[in-house]
Amino acid sequence: MADPTPDLIPPSLAERLRAAHAVVVLTGAGISAESGIPTFRNPQNGLWANYRPEELATPQAFRANPRLVWDWYAWRRAAVATVLPNAGHRALVEIEARVPQFTLLTQNVDGLHQAAGSRRVIELHGNIRRVKCFDHGHPVESWPSTGALPPPCPICGSLLRPDVVWFGEQLPAAALEQAADAIRHCDLFLTIGTSLRVEPAASLPYAALEHGATVLILNQEVAPSTEPPLYGMNGPAGTLLPALVHAAWPDAPAVGDAHGA
Ligand code: OAD
């Protein structure tokens, strides 16, 4: 099949992807935007445009108004349950299948990478589909759908909360160690759909650059750059990632028009 988007992909980047031994990908909300999940900082429809994060995504907020925080996450959990992975997620599955070593670091809590079929996924900010208790972090699989909200932990009785990282909380240490290790050994680092405004994830592409990796930043605000070692691609991940895969491996099956977004 002829490449429908030949001008979008710097040929030297496609060559580096084809030759890469170890690829690390960092994703943010932008990769899920085409599945219908609002990004955080979009001024028109971002989640944070309607809700102030300090009111909802902090331990202090939960202590002050646990019901409000629980209900907000319940609404977001219901929203992610209705959406499907898009072509950008599927392109990353294809890359994982074709390179010797692959690690996908995600700031997203929606679980769409796993739903698309990505295998080696490290969740830096947790997962909205999981729940744990506030006092001890006991993981909880299910809770009664009626009664008090937030429900009590069946083990210790403290309130249940989403298993996501809130502002002011530490990222999971094991996830950070795995990320650092993968970055030390990677030759290509792809940064997809993140504004790189939240640490420590924001520093990871630059750590990869320091280790000598080629780095791509792909989002809808970056200045385009076609020169190694730091490439910039401005546009939708659901178009550009399949085009990158096709440029690197022209025989790869098309991922762009498979099934729903
Ligand atoms: P942001 O909302 O800050 O940034 C989304 C990025 O995706 C922007 O750079 C957009 O240009 C880009 N974008 C939007 N649509 C896109 C598309 N179709 N294709 C490619 N790029 C697109 O979201 P994050 O960077 O993920 O943390 O935010 C980082 C963290 O801030 C989140 O994980 C969350 C939030 O506070 C926690 O909840 C702990």
Side-chain angles (χ1 to χ4, degrees):
M1 187 182 104
D3 183 350
T5 49
D7 299 336
L8 298 177
I9 308 301
S12 62
L13 176 62
E15 276 159 30
R16 282 166 191 246
L17 175 57
R18 187 167 46 242
H21 287 286
V23 174
V24 174
V25 182
L26 170 68
T27 61
I31 196 165
S32 295
E34 289 159 81
S35 291
I37 301 177
T39 62
F40 289 98
R41 293 179 178 79
N42 178 313
Q44 266 74 49
N45 68 357
L47 289 171
W48 287 171
N50 298 318
Y51 303 95
R52 297 190 340 155
E54 59 273 23
E55 286 170 6
L56 296 168
T58 69
Q60 294 80 0
F62 188 76
R63 277 196 201 92
N65 195 339
R67 175 67 193 263
L68 174 70
V69 175
W70 176 267
D71 284 350
W72 187 60
Y73 278 96
W75 170 71
R76 289 179 56 195
R77 194 180 299 119
V80 303
T82 64
V83 300
L84 294 170
N86 65 59
H89 297 103
R90 292 194 293 275
L92 296 180
V93 177
E94 193 61 35
I95 294 174
E96 181 168 18
R98 287 171 179 267
V99 298
Q101 286 178 44
F102 180 90
T103 306
L104 174 45
L105 313 173
T106 188
Q107 300 168 88
N108 298 344
V109 297
D110 55 34
L112 286 181
H113 288 302
Q114 294 92 330
S118 288
R119 296 162 69 90
R120 184 157 167 71
V121 182
I122 297 174
E123 294 177 325
L124 298 173
H125 291 170
N127 191 311
I128 199 169
R129 299 174 199 232
R130 289 194 306 261
V131 166
K132 64 181 181 182
C133 77
F134 187 72
D135 284 356
H136 300 104
H138 295 129
V140 173
E141 295 290 331
S142 61
W143 58 93
S145 59
T146 55
L149 292 175
C153 173
I155 299 166
C156 69
S158 79
L159 298 181
L160 296 183
R161 55 161 283 183
D163 189 2
V164 300
V165 177
W166 280 335
F167 290 101
E169 293 185 320
Q170 299 291 319
L171 273 65
L176 274 182
E177 278 165 30
Q178 289 173 314
D181 188 56
I183 287 168
R184 271 194 295 276
H185 297 100
C186 78
D187 41 21
L188 180 61
F189 188 103
L190 308 177
T191 314
I192 312 297
T194 171
S195 62
L196 295 175
R197 302 244 179 92
V198 174
E199 295 289 356
S203 296
L204 299 180
Y206 304 101
L209 260 186
E210 278 176 21
H211 282 291
T214 299
V215 172
L216 165 69
I217 296 182
L218 186 167
N219 62 37
Q220 293 192 314
E221 54 194 335
V222 70
S225 163
T226 57
E227 295 300 322
L230 182 55
Y231 292 85
M233 286 171 52
N234 188 316
T239 302
L240 294 179
L241 280 177
L244 176 61
V245 168
H246 186 73
W249 299 286
D251 65 317
V255 295
D257 49 8
H259 45 83

